[in-house]
mmCIF file of all heavy atoms in Angstrom:
data_model
loop_
_atom_site.group_PDB
_atom_site.id
_atom_site.type_symbol
_atom_site.label_atom_id
_atom_site.label_comp_id
_atom_site.label_asym_id
_atom_site.label_seq_id
_atom_site.Cartn_x
_atom_site.Cartn_y
_atom_site.Cartn_z
ATOM 1 N N LYS A 938 -141.691 -147.670 14.362
ATOM 2 C CA LYS A 938 -143.096 -148.073 14.591
ATOM 3 C C LYS A 938 -143.903 -148.023 13.299
ATOM 4 O O LYS A 938 -145.019 -148.535 13.227
ATOM 5 C CB LYS A 938 -143.733 -147.162 15.634
ATOM 6 C CG LYS A 938 -143.153 -147.381 17.019
ATOM 7 C CD LYS A 938 -143.804 -146.466 18.043
ATOM 8 C CE LYS A 938 -142.939 -146.363 19.277
ATOM 9 N NZ LYS A 938 -142.813 -145.014 19.803
ATOM 10 N N ARG A 939 -143.358 -147.338 12.292
ATOM 11 C CA ARG A 939 -144.110 -147.179 11.034
ATOM 12 C C ARG A 939 -143.692 -148.182 9.964
ATOM 13 O O ARG A 939 -144.171 -148.139 8.838
ATOM 14 C CB ARG A 939 -143.910 -145.750 10.494
ATOM 15 C CG ARG A 939 -144.543 -144.737 11.410
ATOM 16 C CD ARG A 939 -144.205 -143.307 11.028
ATOM 17 N NE ARG A 939 -144.684 -142.412 12.072
ATOM 18 C CZ ARG A 939 -144.065 -141.323 12.472
ATOM 19 N NH1 ARG A 939 -142.928 -140.972 11.911
ATOM 20 N NH2 ARG A 939 -144.581 -140.591 13.429
ATOM 21 N N ILE A 940 -142.755 -149.041 10.325
ATOM 22 C CA ILE A 940 -142.259 -150.016 9.346
ATOM 23 C C ILE A 940 -143.303 -151.104 9.103
ATOM 24 O O ILE A 940 -143.942 -151.582 10.046
ATOM 25 C CB ILE A 940 -140.944 -150.671 9.848
ATOM 26 C CG1 ILE A 940 -139.869 -149.616 10.127
ATOM 27 C CG2 ILE A 940 -140.439 -151.735 8.889
ATOM 28 C CD1 ILE A 940 -139.329 -148.916 8.921
ATOM 29 N N ALA A 941 -143.457 -151.492 7.847
ATOM 30 C CA ALA A 941 -144.421 -152.550 7.518
ATOM 31 C C ALA A 941 -143.982 -153.876 8.135
ATOM 32 O O ALA A 941 -142.782 -154.161 8.208
ATOM 33 C CB ALA A 941 -144.532 -152.700 6.001
ATOM 34 N N GLN A 942 -144.975 -154.646 8.522
ATOM 35 C CA GLN A 942 -144.692 -155.909 9.194
ATOM 36 C C GLN A 942 -143.811 -156.823 8.340
ATOM 37 O O GLN A 942 -142.952 -157.537 8.835
ATOM 38 C CB GLN A 942 -146.015 -156.612 9.561
ATOM 39 C CG GLN A 942 -145.839 -157.772 10.516
ATOM 40 C CD GLN A 942 -145.135 -157.367 11.817
ATOM 41 O OE1 GLN A 942 -145.427 -156.318 12.397
ATOM 42 N NE2 GLN A 942 -144.181 -158.169 12.260
ATOM 43 N N ARG A 943 -144.002 -156.793 7.009
ATOM 44 C CA ARG A 943 -143.243 -157.736 6.165
ATOM 45 C C ARG A 943 -141.737 -157.464 6.238
ATOM 46 O O ARG A 943 -140.938 -158.383 6.154
ATOM 47 C CB ARG A 943 -143.753 -157.705 4.715
ATOM 48 C CG ARG A 943 -143.361 -156.511 3.897
ATOM 49 C CD ARG A 943 -143.878 -156.609 2.474
ATOM 50 N NE ARG A 943 -145.324 -156.434 2.417
ATOM 51 C CZ ARG A 943 -145.932 -155.243 2.410
ATOM 52 N NH1 ARG A 943 -145.220 -154.133 2.426
ATOM 53 N NH2 ARG A 943 -147.237 -155.164 2.365
ATOM 54 N N ALA A 944 -141.380 -156.192 6.448
ATOM 55 C CA ALA A 944 -139.946 -155.893 6.579
ATOM 56 C C ALA A 944 -139.450 -156.362 7.944
ATOM 57 O O ALA A 944 -138.346 -156.904 8.067
ATOM 58 C CB ALA A 944 -139.692 -154.403 6.401
ATOM 59 N N LEU A 945 -140.291 -156.184 8.948
ATOM 60 C CA LEU A 945 -139.891 -156.611 10.303
ATOM 61 C C LEU A 945 -139.780 -158.131 10.392
ATOM 62 O O LEU A 945 -139.033 -158.662 11.212
ATOM 63 C CB LEU A 945 -140.901 -156.108 11.340
ATOM 64 C CG LEU A 945 -141.040 -154.585 11.429
ATOM 65 C CD1 LEU A 945 -142.150 -154.191 12.396
ATOM 66 C CD2 LEU A 945 -139.719 -153.933 11.861
ATOM 67 N N ASP A 946 -140.515 -158.806 9.527
ATOM 68 C CA ASP A 946 -140.546 -160.276 9.575
ATOM 69 C C ASP A 946 -139.268 -160.932 9.040
ATOM 70 O O ASP A 946 -139.117 -162.141 9.143
ATOM 71 C CB ASP A 946 -141.740 -160.817 8.774
ATOM 72 C CG ASP A 946 -143.043 -160.622 9.529
ATOM 73 O OD1 ASP A 946 -142.990 -160.342 10.745
ATOM 74 O OD2 ASP A 946 -144.112 -160.731 8.890
ATOM 75 N N ILE A 947 -138.412 -160.169 8.382
ATOM 76 C CA ILE A 947 -137.165 -160.765 7.878
ATOM 77 C C ILE A 947 -135.969 -160.112 8.573
ATOM 78 O O ILE A 947 -136.097 -159.037 9.156
ATOM 79 C CB ILE A 947 -137.033 -160.641 6.332
ATOM 80 C CG1 ILE A 947 -137.067 -159.188 5.889
ATOM 81 C CG2 ILE A 947 -138.115 -161.447 5.633
ATOM 82 C CD1 ILE A 947 -136.706 -158.987 4.437
ATOM 83 N N GLU A 948 -134.841 -160.802 8.503
ATOM 84 C CA GLU A 948 -133.644 -160.292 9.181
ATOM 85 C C GLU A 948 -132.536 -160.060 8.170
ATOM 86 O O GLU A 948 -132.546 -160.638 7.088
ATOM 87 C CB GLU A 948 -133.160 -161.331 10.188
ATOM 88 C CG GLU A 948 -134.262 -161.689 11.145
ATOM 89 C CD GLU A 948 -133.751 -162.044 12.516
ATOM 90 O OE1 GLU A 948 -132.530 -162.205 12.676
ATOM 91 O OE2 GLU A 948 -134.602 -162.141 13.416
ATOM 92 N N MET A 949 -131.554 -159.243 8.562
ATOM 93 C CA MET A 949 -130.367 -159.084 7.718
ATOM 94 C C MET A 949 -129.689 -160.447 7.611
ATOM 95 O O MET A 949 -129.707 -161.235 8.563
ATOM 96 C CB MET A 949 -129.376 -158.101 8.347
ATOM 97 C CG MET A 949 -129.812 -156.653 8.295
ATOM 98 S SD MET A 949 -129.996 -156.015 6.616
ATOM 99 C CE MET A 949 -128.291 -155.794 6.150
#
Side-chain angles (χ1 to χ4, degrees):
K938 291 180 198 137
R939 293 172 189 143
I940 302 291
Q942 192 57 43
R943 75 178 71 82
L945 299 175
D946 285 345
I947 59 170
E948 304 212 350
M949 288 298 284

